[in-house]
Amino acid sequence: MIEGPNNERIVDVELETEMRKAYLDYAMTVIVARALPDVRDGLKPVQRRILWTMHEMGLRSDRPFRKSAAIVGDVMGKYHPHGDVPIYDALARFAQDFTMRYPPIQGQGNFGCFAGDTKVELVNGEQRTFVELVEMVHRGVRAEVFTLDAHRNVRIKPLRAPRLVRRDDPIVKVTLASGAEINCTPDHRFMLRDGTYREASKLKAKDQLMPFARTAIPERLHRTGAFPIPASLSQAVTSVAPAGRADVYDLTVDVTQNFALASGVFVHNSIDDDPPAHMRYTEARPAAIAADLLADIDKETVDWYPNYDNRHLQPTVLPARVPNLLVNGSTGIAVGMASNIPPHNLREVTAAVKRLVDDPELTNDDLCETVLGPDFPGGGVIYRFEEQKNIETGAAERVDAIRRAYANGRGRILMRAKAHVEDGKGGRQSIVVTELPYAVNKASLIEKIADLVQGKRLAGISDIRDESDREGMRVVIEVKRDDNAERVLNNLYKHTAMQSAFNLNMLALVDASPKTLSLKDVLQHYIDYRKQVIKRRTEFDLGRAKERAHVLEGFKIALDHIDEIVKTIRASRTPETALANLREKFELSEIQAKAILEMQLRRLTGLERQKVEDEYRETIKLISELESILGNPRRILFLIRQDMDELATKYGDDRRTKILDDLNRELTDQDLVADEDVVITVSDRNYVKRMPLSTYKAQHRGGRGVIGMSTRDEDDVEHLVVARNHDRLYVFTDRGRVFALKAFELPDASRTAKGTPIQNILEAMQTGERVSALIAIRDGAAAPYLVMATRKGFVKKTPLADYGNVRRAGLIAIALRKDDQLAWVAAAGDKDRIVLATRKGKAITFKATDARPMGRQTQGVTGVRLAKGDEVIGMGVVTARTEVLSVTENGYGKRTKVEDFPTHNRGGQGVALAAISAKTGNVAAIQVIDEKSEEVLLISTNGVVIRVPMDQIRVLGRATQGVKVMATGEAKIASIATFATNRPSQPGLGLQNS
């Protein structure tokens, strides 16, 4: 310490030391005095101060409400000088039945609403009552209303969630100068002419309201979307009077939050899931359960300490007859630590307390048989088990997440919304959400879903609407006609808060120090605390009983010597003398003597004498009972059990949150789609679709087929693939890139639909990029390589593992030469042979090993040397006992044994594949088939498809033209695909197009 220039004392300290000390002081203050709950009563300081202040104010559950502002002011002025916002937030949270499982406070004042017969002005010219609006929305009818924006211009906006808010509520009748009458709750706000709002009960005669008249709407509103209220319009209040009680309704208009009534005024709406109104508008009082949190606080059961200015005393903790920490949970963020304790079911918690009282040796697992898991106020679903990887072995293990969290005091519990699928008109399905995970905001969820749908991250949703009312939640998500509702629901779980996790962290203050507690620890600390409370209460009651017995003994002495007592008192000059004389003559204590002097004369009657004697006997019994309790710890435990039984009877209810195992929890989209045979087609303009193979019935060869795809002018069918829904589909483009997706991710469409642009599915595809090849492969396929062929006869072999993880943005598959195009891809092994066929009827066969493995970004090597004007039209992988199916442009086809094709070195011109002529046309496609190939599917350039049994196509030599397979008319064969009708669904190599 040194002396400053003005005799000031300056302490020389290290900056680092001072900062460390100051930060630690701040951190401990936040931890102990602000953010974390006490394990004994489950309350943070601000919550405890609110309940104590309301108790001091004389507020009770059976007494009138008081303005929240008055309560907040008292709390802030006496105990919590940290601003009104945190106090009011804590008070409002205590009153929220969607946050607290058993709210300690009842609130009111945030629900301005209208009677059900009040009419709303709709944009379409109709005037509908609130009751009618609710029915309209349930039928799926949408409506728009007139609303005022921030600049007081009339706008048109959709109304949302018309709903019943409360039943049998007090209402007032607001009469306007026009004669119109509006029945609403006293707190509903009307818009004044200056744009501000005033509650109905505070409106006065001649108050000017914001007027509305349909006749004043100019035609330009539909062109510009806005117009100001004409100055000539007016609407004034005539009177406001009580109007009895009625069921009351409201609706929501997003952003502007007001709408026009048919009576010609603008009113405020109730914002869905909005924050509480300002404290001057709301009222509160303690709920019945708050009395049990404060029970016996006046019996010296807790310690007290002074407030910030030493003018008032406040309790360090509440007596907490209710095990509040578990029942209502707690959330708090301190410095370097946070608490997140979920609410639980009161019946389960009280039963667990009783079990632990009876057997202190119970384990957490034993207690988990009673406390099944969190019980959130909004219901929902939680899952007990989850898959986790063993750190030592690396193997997946099935773990009971709830029990582990309770044992460790921390853990992750998965929550899901409760939803079901409803069938609607026209084969449409809807997903109806009735319960949400804890702390998920309904309005925010709906907005998130809408954003995902607009951003094309969620497919299959045509509409979403909120049909919730006071009877319960109902969010309806309409599924597109051709989509799968279960798949859409699975994606909602994956991409939105309909599935979220509760990160349990049971951190609470134990002896003013933060500790992470197991379920048993929390219950044991509560039991130990209740033992202290009951002991202190009993000691207090015993002291009061002994004092009363002492006084009653004095009364008995006085009644036995009543004449002498009266004579002694009359002979005394002053009260002090009388007090001294009584004590001396009758051997009374000062307390007894004072009580006798204050005794009323009516106590001298015989009846009153008997009452004194009866009271004395009862008091002696009470003293004996209280002393027995203090002398026998088991009696205290019995009283704890008794308290638990009373609480369960008084407040207990059924569990709201459903607990499920996780056997079906991690359903993927693939799990929700049947692994059936499908036909995938892609047109020249990249329109793609997927249809069940059963769409096409087998026909005799030579038929015309049926429409398989509607095509636009100059948009021919290019590719045809038969696959299974669970196959991995590799999509190669004319720019040498590859994309991967599951076959079921392609849109399911009708036989005659033109399909969906594949760019809408593979969003990373560039403008002008076209599909050039498709291949479907089962996960786990054994073939080690992908062999690619281009139109100009080049081939490349790349390890299949190089495409094991194709990004959504795609991968480079091949480096193409100028004017060349990747057209075929197939899976092959080193023992296979490759066959390439050309449009002019040539074919070459060479060993797969002739093409060495290359990386993805390479061009490949020459596979076949083409004549001028020729090009490759197909590639296949040849194995033993296979055949080459070839089809010409005009529908002629044949099967040729692979033995007829000699094996050459790659790079040759090949041998004759078919005898082509003007009648047959050039070769259109080939396919390598085996004995498993039972049918062939052909599609023409105009989208006509025919399905033909394989045995109807003859086996012929190379130099033949084949038999008529399909009557093409003016069209040409575009592609073919072969398949087995009874293909197994286990992993195996799929089929590719030709």
Side-chain angles (χ1 to χ4, degrees):
M1 183 183 298
I2 60 175
E3 293 290 335
N6 298 321
N7 295 323
E8 296 176 347
R9 290 186 299 173
I10 301 175
V11 180
D12 187 13
V13 296
E14 293 265 348
L15 178 61
E16 181 182 350
T17 303
E18 182 64 21
M19 288 185 66
R20 183 183 292 111
K21 179 179 180 299
Y23 183 77
L24 287 175
D25 289 344
Y26 159 74
M28 288 308 298
T29 299
V30 172
I31 291 170
V32 176
R34 297 288 289 276
L36 299 184
D38 193 294
V39 70
R40 296 170 291 180
D41 62 3
L43 299 173
K44 294 188 281 188
V46 65
Q47 298 170 330
R48 192 177 299 117
R49 289 162 181 166
I50 290 170
L51 291 178
W52 171 241
T53 300
M54 296 178 80
H55 183 78
E56 277 191 315
M57 295 172 68
L59 298 178
R60 302 291 185 270
S61 61
D62 55 353
R63 296 180 186 175
F65 288 88
R66 287 284 295 277
K67 282 289 186 183
S68 300
I71 300 169
V72 171
D74 248 30
V75 175
M76 185 167 60
K78 290 182 178 180
Y79 306 113
H80 200 80
H82 304 293
D84 58 351
V85 173
I87 300 172
Y88 185 52
D89 286 347
L91 186 149
R93 184 180 175 85
F94 257 10
Q96 292 169 346
D97 57 5
F98 54 86
T99 300
M100 309 296 289
R101 187 63 176 83
Y102 303 92
I105 291 177
Q106 296 175 345
Q108 72 172 20
N110 199 28
F111 306 107
C113 314
F114 294 93
D117 58 358
T118 304
K119 291 187 176 181
V120 178
E121 188 77 34
L122 301 184
V123 173
N124 63 5
E126 297 179 345
Q127 294 179 347
R128 295 282 187 168
T129 66
F130 277 91
V131 174
E132 292 171 335
L133 290 175
V134 171
E135 293 174 354
M136 285 172 55
V137 170
H138 284 183
R139 296 197 311 268
V141 180
R142 307 183 70 174
E144 293 179 320
V145 295
F146 296 101
T147 183
L148 276 187
D149 63 16
H151 304 289
R152 300 186 207 167
N153 288 326
V154 176
R155 300 274 185 177
I156 293 174
K157 282 188 174 291
L159 66 85
R160 183 167 63 82
R163 55 201 177 272
L164 173 67
V165 177
R166 286 197 307 279
R167 294 190 181 278
D168 196 30
D169 219 40
I171 60 172
V172 296
K173 180 169 66 176
V174 179
T175 305
L176 306 180
S178 62
E181 296 178 348
I182 304 168
N183 292 321
C184 62
T185 54
D187 58 347
H188 200 95
R189 293 184 287 170
F190 286 69
M191 184 183 289
L192 301 181
R193 197 62 167 87
D194 60 2
T196 61
Y197 290 96
R198 184 172 296 170
E199 293 181 14
S201 61
K202 297 180 180 178
L203 290 174
K204 300 176 182 177
K206 299 184 179 181
D207 277 349
Q208 293 294 320
L209 303 179
M210 184 65 74
F212 173 81
R214 177 174 287 276
T215 56
I217 301 175
E219 188 63 31
R220 68 174 181 272
L221 174 61
H222 302 286
R223 299 194 303 268
T224 65
F227 80 97
I229 295 292
S232 58
L233 277 183
S234 67
Q235 191 68 273
V237 176
T238 300
S239 64
V240 178
R245 308 179 75 90
D247 295 347
V248 290
Y249 297 74
D250 208 344
L251 56 83
T252 298
V253 178
D254 292 326
V255 184
T256 53
Q257 295 158 14
N258 64 72
F259 58 95
L261 294 177
S263 53
V265 293
F266 283 94
V267 292
H268 197 274
N269 71 181
S270 175
I271 310 167
D272 189 29
D273 293 323
D274 58 354
H278 193 273
M279 67 184 80
R280 65 178 176 270
Y281 297 125
T282 61
E283 297 176 337
R285 69 181 178 189
I289 200 169
D292 286 290
L293 286 169
L294 290 153
D296 304 321
I297 196 170
D298 55 349
K299 294 186 177 182
E300 299 178 1
T301 52
V302 297
D303 295 329
W304 301 76
Y305 69 105
N307 70 338
Y308 61 91
D309 61 1
N310 292 317
R311 296 177 58 195
H312 302 277
L313 288 177
Q314 56 185 321
T316 56
V317 64
L318 297 187
R321 191 171 175 233
V322 180
N324 186 60
L325 184 63
L326 286 176
V327 166
N328 274 321
S330 182
T331 302
I333 301 175
V335 179
M337 60 186 68
S339 177
N340 198 25
I341 303 172
H344 293 80
N345 184 271
L346 181 64
R347 288 177 181 167
E348 294 179 8
V349 175
T350 54
V353 171
K354 289 163 57 180
R355 287 190 64 195
L356 194 57
V357 164
D358 293 340
D359 185 2
E361 300 303 319
L362 289 177
T363 64
N364 279 294
D365 279 346
D366 295 331
L367 293 169
C368 284
E369 295 174 2
T370 304
V371 180
L372 303 179
D375 188 22
F376 298 111
V381 178
I382 60 176
Y383 292 89
R384 178 169 297 282
F385 297 100
E386 66 178 1
E387 295 287 338
Q388 282 203 341
K389 185 177 290 186
N390 187 296
I391 299 177
E392 296 180 357
T393 64
E397 295 180 342
R398 191 164 177 258
V399 179
D400 190 327
I402 296 177
R403 292 199 175 200
R404 185 185 56 188
Y406 283 150
N408 299 333
R410 61 176 67 236
R412 178 178 178 271
I413 298 174
L414 192 71
M415 307 180 293
R416 264 190 177 180
K418 187 177 288 186
H420 64 274
V421 177
E422 292 183 359
D423 294 325
K425 297 180 180 178
R428 285 184 176 272
Q429 290 183 310
S430 297
I431 297 169
V432 179
V433 182
T434 55
E435 296 176 7
L436 292 179
Y438 185 58
V440 172
N441 182 287
K442 181 181 64 177
S444 299
L445 174 67
I446 293 173
E447 184 178 351
K448 175 68 173 178
I449 294 174
D451 290 343
L452 290 173
V453 172
Q454 190 172 6
K456 298 181 179 179
R457 292 187 59 192
L458 265 182
I461 296 176
S462 61
D463 190 22
I464 180 171
R465 60 183 183 273
D466 184 4
E467 298 180 0
S468 307
D469 55 29
R470 265 321 211 203
E471 300 300 311
M473 179 184 298
R474 182 180 168 87
V475 177
V476 181
I477 302 167
E478 288 192 0
V479 180
K480 290 182 178 178
R481 191 185 305 277
D482 297 326
D483 221 310
N484 183 291
E486 294 292 341
R487 177 167 171 260
V488 173
L489 179 59
N490 201 56
N491 284 327
L492 286 169
Y493 286 140
K494 184 185 298 184
H495 297 293
T496 72
M498 284 179 62
Q499 175 175 303
S500 52
F502 187 93
N503 295 306
L504 181 145
N505 187 9
M506 294 206 289
L507 182 72
L509 295 176
V510 179
D511 297 329
S513 296
K515 290 186 178 180
T516 300
L517 306 168
S518 67
L519 174 63
K520 181 179 179 180
D521 292 336
V522 174
L523 293 172
Q524 191 60 60
H525 280 296
Y526 171 75
I527 293 170
D528 293 342
Y529 174 59
R530 284 300 296 171
K531 288 180 183 177
Q532 296 176 16
V533 170
I534 293 174
K535 182 180 178 182
R536 293 179 65 166
R537 180 188 70 191
T538 306
E539 290 172 345
F540 177 86
D541 289 341
L542 180 60
R544 291 293 186 271
K546 286 182 176 180
E547 291 174 3
R548 184 59 180 168
H550 183 62
V551 171
L552 291 172
E553 288 170 354
F555 283 170
K556 289 183 66 178
I557 293 172
L559 292 171
D560 289 340
H561 305 84
I562 189 61
D563 294 333
E564 292 87 342
I565 291 290
V566 173
K567 183 177 180 181
T568 301
I569 295 173
R570 293 183 63 183
S572 303
R573 291 176 59 86
T574 63
E576 292 77 12
T577 305
L579 182 65
N581 292 338
L582 288 174
R583 293 187 61 187
E584 180 180 355
K585 188 172 181 178
F586 299 100
E587 297 180 354
L588 300 173
S589 67
E590 183 177 354
I591 294 175
Q592 290 173 324
K594 283 184 177 179
I596 292 171
L597 286 173
E598 294 171 356
M599 186 171 60
Q600 297 175 345
L601 291 176
R602 63 182 176 83
R603 301 296 296 272
L604 301 178
T605 64
L607 183 60
E608 288 296 323
R609 180 186 182 91
Q610 185 61 42
K611 286 184 178 179
V612 169
E613 291 178 353
D614 292 343
E615 183 181 356
Y616 180 72
R617 281 196 300 271
E618 292 298 323
T619 305
I620 295 301
K621 286 182 182 179
L622 176 60
I623 291 172
S624 177
E625 175 74 13
L626 296 174
E627 287 176 340
S628 174
I629 292 172
L630 292 175
N632 186 356
R634 297 185 64 83
R635 294 290 303 276
I636 295 178
L637 295 178
F638 174 78
L639 291 175
I640 294 175
R641 286 180 53 87
Q642 197 174 55
D643 285 344
M644 296 302 102
D645 288 335
E646 291 178 6
L647 290 171
T649 302
K650 193 173 180 181
Y651 306 113
D653 57 2
D654 295 332
R655 165 173 281 277
R656 298 179 186 175
T657 300
K658 190 175 182 180
I659 301 177
L660 299 177
D661 291 347
D662 70 338
L663 297 178
N664 298 317
R665 170 167 60 83
E666 295 296 342
L667 287 176
T668 63
D669 289 347
Q670 182 168 306
D671 297 327
L672 300 170
V673 178
D675 190 23
E676 62 181 1
D677 289 314
V678 292
V679 178
I680 299 169
T681 58
V682 185
S683 74
D684 182 60
R685 291 188 177 182
N686 280 355
Y687 279 81
V688 62
K689 72 174 181 176
R690 171 176 59 95
M691 298 163 289
L693 180 59
S694 57
T695 303
Y696 304 102
K697 305 300 180 183
Q699 302 180 35
H700 289 289
R701 67 176 178 86
R704 288 187 171 274
V706 296
I707 295 296
M709 187 176 190
S710 296
T711 59
R712 297 184 176 186
D713 294 340
E714 302 178 1
D715 184 20
D716 295 336
V717 176
E718 285 272 321
H719 306 282
L720 174 70
V721 173
V722 175
R724 282 185 176 272
N725 274 324
H726 292 185
D727 289 348
R728 181 173 292 276
L729 192 68
Y730 289 93
V731 181
F732 295 84
T733 72
D734 58 356
R735 298 184 184 179
R737 297 202 298 164
V738 59
F739 299 87
L741 73 164
K742 289 289 187 178
F744 65 79
E745 295 183 59
L746 296 175
D748 192 4
S750 65
R751 181 170 58 83
T752 58
K754 69 176 183 295
T756 302
I758 199 167
Q759 287 91 343
N760 292 353
I761 304 164
L762 303 175
E763 297 177 359
M765 283 189 67
Q766 301 170 357
T767 304
E769 191 171 9
R770 295 175 55 250
V771 175
S772 59
L774 295 172
I775 180 173
I777 297 180
R778 299 295 284 181
D779 287 338
Y785 299 105
L786 280 184
V787 178
M788 307 175 195
T790 70
R791 291 285 183 186
K792 291 190 175 182
F794 292 94
V795 294
K796 189 180 85 162
K797 186 172 71 176
T798 305
L800 182 60
D802 289 359
Y803 304 97
N805 186 23
V806 180
R807 301 186 300 269
R808 298 295 294 182
L811 291 176
I812 297 295
I814 186 172
L816 293 170
R817 293 170 174 82
K818 185 178 180 181
D819 297 329
D820 201 359
Q821 182 183 18
L822 173 66
W824 295 274
V825 181
D830 286 333
K831 295 182 179 180
D832 296 332
R833 290 185 295 163
I834 308 299
V835 59
L836 295 176
T838 72
R839 189 171 297 281
K840 298 300 183 181
K842 294 284 187 177
I844 186 171
T845 304
F846 56 88
K847 294 179 180 178
T849 53
D850 287 357
R852 60 182 176 84
M854 298 180 176
R856 290 187 293 103
Q857 300 187 41
T858 54
Q859 293 183 333
V861 295
T862 301
V864 62
R865 200 171 303 279
L866 298 171
K868 186 176 181 180
D870 202 359
E871 64 176 355
V872 175
I873 50 84
M875 179 190 74
V877 177
V878 176
T879 59
R881 294 186 300 277
T882 54
E883 298 172 340
V884 176
L885 171 66
S886 57
V887 179
T888 65
E889 292 176 337
N890 293 337
Y892 287 83
K894 64 176 181 175
R895 293 150 53 199
T896 306
K897 295 184 179 296
V898 296
E899 290 80 5
D900 294 350
F901 296 90
T903 301
H904 294 98
N905 292 327
R906 66 171 179 81
Q909 291 186 347
V911 296
L913 167 66
I916 59 175
S917 62
K919 182 180 73 170
T920 63
N922 292 327
V923 179
I926 69 161
Q927 185 81 60
V928 176
I929 60 176
D930 56 20
E931 64 274 10
K932 296 179 181 178
S933 303
E934 299 178 358
E935 296 184 62
V936 60
L937 209 64
L938 298 89
I939 188 167
S940 64
T941 53
N942 61 358
V944 175
V945 174
I946 190 173
R947 178 177 173 179
V948 178
M950 193 67 69
D951 57 11
Q952 293 189 10
I953 302 176
R954 295 171 54 189
V955 178
L956 301 171
R958 289 189 292 108
T960 56
Q961 68 178 13
V963 296
K964 191 71 170 179
V965 180
M966 180 179 182
T968 59
E970 297 181 359
K972 303 294 182 183
I973 295 295
S975 186
I976 66 173
T978 61
F979 56 93
T981 55
N982 58 348
R983 287 191 300 143
S985 61
Q986 68 267 19
L989 182 62
L991 296 170
Q992 65 278 355
N993 72 298
S994 295

